[in-house]
Amino acid sequence: MKLVIHGKNIEITDAIRDYVHQKIEKAVSHFQNITNEVDVHLSVARNPRINPKQAAEVTIYANGSVIRAEESSENLYASIDLVADKIARQLRKYKERRQDKKTQAQPTNEVVVPQPVVTDLIGDRTPELPNEVVRTKYFSMPPMTVAEALEQLQLVGHDFYMFLNSETGEINVIYERNHGGYGVIQPRHNNGHTNGKNGKTASANFVTAEKPYSPK
Protein backbone atom coordinates (compact mmCIF):
# COMPACT_ATOMS: atom_id res chain seq x y z
CA MET A 1 0.00 0.00 0.00
CA LYS A 2 1.32 3.41 -1.01
CA LEU A 3 0.93 6.21 1.57
CA VAL A 4 1.74 9.80 0.55
CA ILE A 5 1.78 12.73 2.99
CA HIS A 6 1.40 16.38 1.92
CA GLY A 7 1.57 19.50 4.06
CA LYS A 8 0.29 23.05 3.69
CA ASN A 9 1.63 25.79 5.99
CA ILE A 10 3.24 23.06 8.07
CA GLU A 11 6.54 21.18 8.12
CA ILE A 12 6.10 17.41 7.98
CA THR A 13 8.54 16.37 10.71
CA ASP A 14 9.65 12.80 11.35
CA ALA A 15 7.40 12.72 14.44
CA ILE A 16 4.34 13.79 12.43
CA ARG A 17 5.17 11.37 9.62
CA ASP A 18 5.58 8.45 12.03
CA TYR A 19 2.30 9.31 13.76
CA VAL A 20 0.42 9.46 10.46
CA HIS A 21 1.82 6.09 9.39
CA GLN A 22 0.95 4.55 12.74
CA LYS A 23 -2.65 5.80 12.82
CA ILE A 24 -3.60 5.54 9.14
CA GLU A 25 -1.99 2.15 8.56
CA LYS A 26 -3.85 0.82 11.61
CA ALA A 27 -7.11 2.28 10.28
CA VAL A 28 -6.76 0.56 6.90
CA SER A 29 -5.03 -2.61 8.12
CA HIS A 30 -8.17 -4.75 7.61
CA PHE A 31 -8.80 -3.29 4.14
CA GLN A 32 -5.38 -3.49 2.48
CA ASN A 33 -6.69 -5.97 -0.08
CA ILE A 34 -8.95 -3.25 -1.55
CA THR A 35 -6.70 -0.23 -0.88
CA ASN A 36 -4.34 0.88 -3.64
CA GLU A 37 -3.12 4.27 -2.43
CA VAL A 38 -3.64 6.55 0.58
CA ASP A 39 -3.16 10.30 0.25
CA VAL A 40 -2.89 12.33 3.49
CA HIS A 41 -3.09 16.13 3.41
CA LEU A 42 -2.25 18.07 6.60
CA SER A 43 -2.82 21.80 6.81
CA VAL A 44 -2.75 24.69 9.24
CA ALA A 45 -4.94 27.74 8.57
CA ARG A 46 -3.11 31.07 8.77
CA ASN A 47 -6.29 33.09 8.83
CA PRO A 48 -7.07 33.84 12.51
CA ARG A 49 -10.80 33.84 11.73
CA ILE A 50 -10.69 30.16 10.72
CA ASN A 51 -11.40 27.90 13.66
CA PRO A 52 -10.47 25.09 14.20
CA LYS A 53 -7.13 25.69 12.53
CA GLN A 54 -5.42 22.30 12.05
CA ALA A 55 -6.94 19.87 9.56
CA ALA A 56 -6.21 16.33 8.39
CA GLU A 57 -7.69 14.99 5.15
CA VAL A 58 -7.36 11.38 3.96
CA THR A 59 -8.19 10.21 0.45
CA ILE A 60 -8.10 6.49 -0.35
CA TYR A 61 -8.12 5.04 -3.84
CA ALA A 62 -9.74 1.60 -3.65
CA ASN A 63 -10.30 -0.43 -6.81
CA GLY A 64 -11.43 2.56 -8.86
CA SER A 65 -13.45 4.16 -6.06
CA VAL A 66 -12.44 7.20 -4.02
CA ILE A 67 -13.07 7.28 -0.26
CA ARG A 68 -12.44 10.52 1.60
CA ALA A 69 -12.60 11.84 5.16
CA GLU A 70 -11.61 15.16 6.75
CA GLU A 71 -11.44 16.38 10.35
CA SER A 72 -10.27 19.60 12.00
CA SER A 73 -9.38 20.61 15.56
CA GLU A 74 -7.03 22.86 17.53
CA ASN A 75 -4.43 20.08 17.65
CA LEU A 76 -2.95 18.36 14.61
CA TYR A 77 -2.48 15.01 16.36
CA ALA A 78 -6.10 15.07 17.51
CA SER A 79 -7.19 15.79 13.93
CA ILE A 80 -5.18 12.79 12.73
CA ASP A 81 -6.85 10.58 15.37
CA LEU A 82 -10.32 11.77 14.34
CA VAL A 83 -9.77 11.33 10.61
CA ALA A 84 -8.24 7.85 11.12
CA ASP A 85 -11.39 6.71 12.95
CA LYS A 86 -13.64 8.29 10.30
CA ILE A 87 -11.82 6.74 7.32
CA ALA A 88 -11.97 3.32 8.99
CA ARG A 89 -15.77 3.65 9.23
CA GLN A 90 -15.97 4.77 5.59
CA LEU A 91 -13.90 1.77 4.48
CA ARG A 92 -16.10 -0.59 6.48
CA LYS A 93 -19.22 0.77 4.77
CA TYR A 94 -17.56 0.49 1.36
CA LYS A 95 -16.56 -3.13 1.96
CA GLU A 96 -20.06 -4.04 3.19
CA ARG A 97 -21.62 -2.53 0.05
CA ARG A 98 -19.26 -4.52 -2.16
CA GLN A 99 -20.17 -7.72 -0.35
CA ASP A 100 -23.89 -6.95 -0.69
CA LYS A 101 -23.46 -6.42 -4.44
CA LYS A 102 -21.66 -9.75 -4.79
CA THR A 103 -24.45 -11.49 -2.89
CA GLN A 104 -27.14 -9.94 -5.09
CA ALA A 105 -25.29 -10.52 -8.36
CA GLN A 106 -26.83 -13.09 -10.70
CA PRO A 107 -24.72 -15.58 -12.69
CA THR A 108 -24.12 -14.50 -16.28
CA ASN A 109 -22.20 -15.73 -19.32
CA GLU A 110 -21.25 -12.19 -20.28
CA VAL A 111 -17.52 -11.48 -20.10
CA VAL A 112 -16.72 -8.04 -18.70
CA VAL A 113 -13.31 -6.65 -19.59
CA PRO A 114 -12.10 -4.28 -16.84
CA GLN A 115 -11.03 -0.86 -18.07
CA PRO A 116 -7.73 0.50 -16.74
CA VAL A 117 -7.96 3.48 -14.41
CA VAL A 118 -5.89 6.42 -15.62
CA THR A 119 -3.98 7.90 -12.69
CA ASP A 120 -2.09 10.63 -14.57
CA LEU A 121 -4.60 12.89 -16.30
CA ILE A 122 -2.43 15.92 -17.01
CA GLY A 123 0.77 14.31 -18.35
CA ASP A 124 3.43 16.92 -19.07
CA ARG A 125 0.96 19.82 -18.99
CA THR A 126 1.18 22.53 -16.35
CA PRO A 127 -2.20 23.60 -14.94
CA GLU A 128 -2.94 27.32 -15.33
CA LEU A 129 -5.43 28.62 -12.79
CA PRO A 130 -6.89 32.03 -11.95
CA ASN A 131 -5.40 33.72 -8.88
CA GLU A 132 -8.58 33.06 -6.88
CA VAL A 133 -8.21 29.27 -7.24
CA VAL A 134 -6.06 27.97 -4.39
CA ARG A 135 -6.25 24.24 -5.09
CA THR A 136 -7.06 21.91 -7.97
CA LYS A 137 -7.53 18.15 -8.23
CA TYR A 138 -7.42 15.71 -11.15
CA PHE A 139 -9.12 12.33 -11.03
CA SER A 140 -10.23 9.60 -13.39
CA MET A 141 -13.90 9.61 -14.38
CA PRO A 142 -15.11 6.15 -15.45
CA PRO A 143 -18.73 6.01 -16.70
CA MET A 144 -21.29 5.20 -13.99
CA THR A 145 -25.01 5.25 -13.35
CA VAL A 146 -26.77 7.77 -11.11
CA ALA A 147 -27.09 5.10 -8.41
CA GLU A 148 -23.35 4.40 -8.53
CA ALA A 149 -22.63 8.14 -8.39
CA LEU A 150 -24.79 8.38 -5.27
CA GLU A 151 -22.64 5.71 -3.62
CA GLN A 152 -19.51 7.67 -4.51
CA LEU A 153 -21.06 10.86 -3.11
CA GLN A 154 -21.62 9.13 0.21
CA LEU A 155 -18.05 7.79 0.25
CA VAL A 156 -16.17 11.01 -0.48
CA GLY A 157 -17.99 13.02 2.19
CA HIS A 158 -18.78 16.03 -0.02
CA ASP A 159 -22.21 17.55 -0.62
CA PHE A 160 -21.85 17.06 -4.41
CA TYR A 161 -20.15 14.66 -6.83
CA MET A 162 -19.37 15.14 -10.53
CA PHE A 163 -19.48 12.04 -12.75
CA LEU A 164 -19.70 10.78 -16.33
CA ASN A 165 -23.23 9.45 -16.82
CA SER A 166 -22.99 6.04 -18.51
CA GLU A 167 -26.54 6.36 -19.92
CA THR A 168 -26.12 9.75 -21.60
CA GLY A 169 -22.33 10.05 -22.02
CA GLU A 170 -22.44 13.52 -20.42
CA ILE A 171 -20.97 15.10 -17.30
CA ASN A 172 -23.54 15.32 -14.48
CA VAL A 173 -23.44 16.49 -10.87
CA ILE A 174 -25.33 14.74 -8.08
CA TYR A 175 -25.82 16.73 -4.87
CA GLU A 176 -27.52 16.72 -1.48
CA ARG A 177 -30.53 19.02 -1.32
CA ASN A 178 -30.91 21.35 1.67
CA HIS A 179 -34.44 20.08 2.32
CA GLY A 180 -33.53 16.40 2.03
CA GLY A 181 -33.03 13.94 -0.79
CA TYR A 182 -30.69 14.26 -3.76
CA GLY A 183 -30.71 16.10 -7.06
CA VAL A 184 -28.93 15.69 -10.40
CA ILE A 185 -27.66 18.59 -12.53
CA GLN A 186 -27.50 17.91 -16.28
CA PRO A 187 -26.46 20.04 -19.28
CA ARG A 188 -29.25 21.60 -21.33
CA HIS A 189 -28.87 21.46 -25.12
CA ASN A 190 -29.75 24.13 -27.66
CA ASN A 191 -33.09 22.47 -28.32
CA GLY A 192 -34.07 23.04 -24.70
CA HIS A 193 -33.98 19.37 -23.78
CA THR A 194 -31.54 17.23 -21.84
CA ASN A 195 -30.13 14.00 -23.19
CA GLY A 196 -32.69 11.73 -21.51
CA LYS A 197 -34.90 8.89 -22.60
CA ASN A 198 -38.36 9.50 -24.10
CA GLY A 199 -37.77 13.25 -24.17
CA LYS A 200 -37.42 13.44 -20.37
CA THR A 201 -34.39 14.23 -18.33
CA ALA A 202 -32.35 11.21 -17.34
CA SER A 203 -32.70 12.18 -13.70
CA ALA A 204 -36.48 12.75 -13.70
CA ASN A 205 -37.44 9.47 -12.07
CA PHE A 206 -34.56 9.71 -9.65
CA VAL A 207 -35.34 13.22 -8.45
CA THR A 208 -39.09 12.74 -8.08
CA ALA A 209 -38.48 9.59 -6.06
CA GLU A 210 -36.01 11.20 -3.73
CA LYS A 211 -35.11 9.24 -0.64
CA PRO A 212 -35.10 11.09 2.70
CA TYR A 213 -31.69 12.37 3.61
CA SER A 214 -30.29 11.12 6.91
CA PRO A 215 -27.63 13.40 8.43
CA LYS A 216 -24.25 11.74 8.78
Side-chain angles (χ1 to χ4, degrees):
M1 179 187 68
K2 180 181 179 182
L3 193 154
V4 181
I5 304 175
H6 308 275
K8 180 180 179 181
N9 300 332
I10 183 175
E11 178 185 358
I12 306 298
T13 64
D14 290 339
I16 293 176
R17 188 178 302 276
D18 291 343
Y19 196 78
V20 169
H21 276 272
Q22 173 190 344
K23 289 295 182 176
I24 301 303
E25 287 179 355
K26 181 180 179 181
V28 303
S29 59
H30 298 297
F31 310 98
Q32 291 193 17
N33 60 321
I34 61 174
T35 303
N36 303 323
E37 180 179 339
V38 181
D39 183 272
V40 181
H41 186 83
L42 308 176
S43 62
V44 176
R46 290 180 175 177
N47 190 334
R49 291 180 292 182
I50 298 179
N51 189 38
K53 295 178 170 45
Q54 308 201 34
E57 176 185 334
V58 176
T59 304
I60 293 181
Y61 301 92
N63 296 337
S65 296
V66 178
I67 305 165
R68 177 187 171 276
E70 182 176 1
E71 291 290 345
S72 301
S73 71
E74 291 295 335
N75 182 277
L76 183 63
Y77 289 91
S79 298
I80 295 171
D81 290 342
L82 292 170
V83 81
D85 292 340
K86 187 172 183 179
I87 202 67
R89 294 194 299 270
Q90 293 283 74
L91 281 168
R92 191 176 303 113
K93 291 179 181 178
Y94 171 72
K95 189 173 183 179
E96 290 173 353
R97 286 171 181 164
R98 289 188 65 203
Q99 291 174 343
D100 290 342
K101 285 185 176 180
K102 288 181 179 179
T103 303
Q104 298 172 2
Q106 298 295 327
T108 177
N109 294 325
E110 182 181 357
V111 177
V112 179
V113 180
Q115 298 296 322
V117 177
V118 181
T119 57
D120 184 7
L121 299 180
I122 62 175
D124 298 330
R125 294 175 295 162
T126 301
E128 298 181 2
L129 302 172
N131 295 330
E132 293 80 5
V133 179
V134 297
R135 188 178 181 188
T136 184
K137 292 183 179 180
Y138 295 90
F139 60 94
S140 59
M141 192 176 291
M144 63 180 65
T145 63
V146 173
E148 291 170 336
L150 175 58
E151 289 187 6
Q152 290 297 312
L153 171 66
Q154 295 169 339
L155 287 173
V156 299
H158 288 303
D159 54 5
F160 73 93
Y161 184 79
M162 184 171 65
F163 66 101
L164 178 61
N165 193 317
S166 59
E167 296 182 0
T168 64
E170 296 176 333
I171 301 298
N172 291 174
V173 175
I174 185 171
Y175 64 96
E176 295 181 359
R177 299 178 70 249
N178 293 334
H179 301 292
Y182 303 91
V184 177
I185 300 175
Q186 297 179 310
R188 183 178 296 278
H189 300 284
N190 293 333
N191 58 7
H193 298 286
T194 56
N195 189 15
K197 298 179 179 179
N198 301 324
K200 300 179 181 180
T201 62
S203 62
N205 293 335
F206 179 81
V207 175
T208 55
E210 289 170 344
K211 55 183 290 189
Y213 169 63
S214 300
K216 298 181 179 67

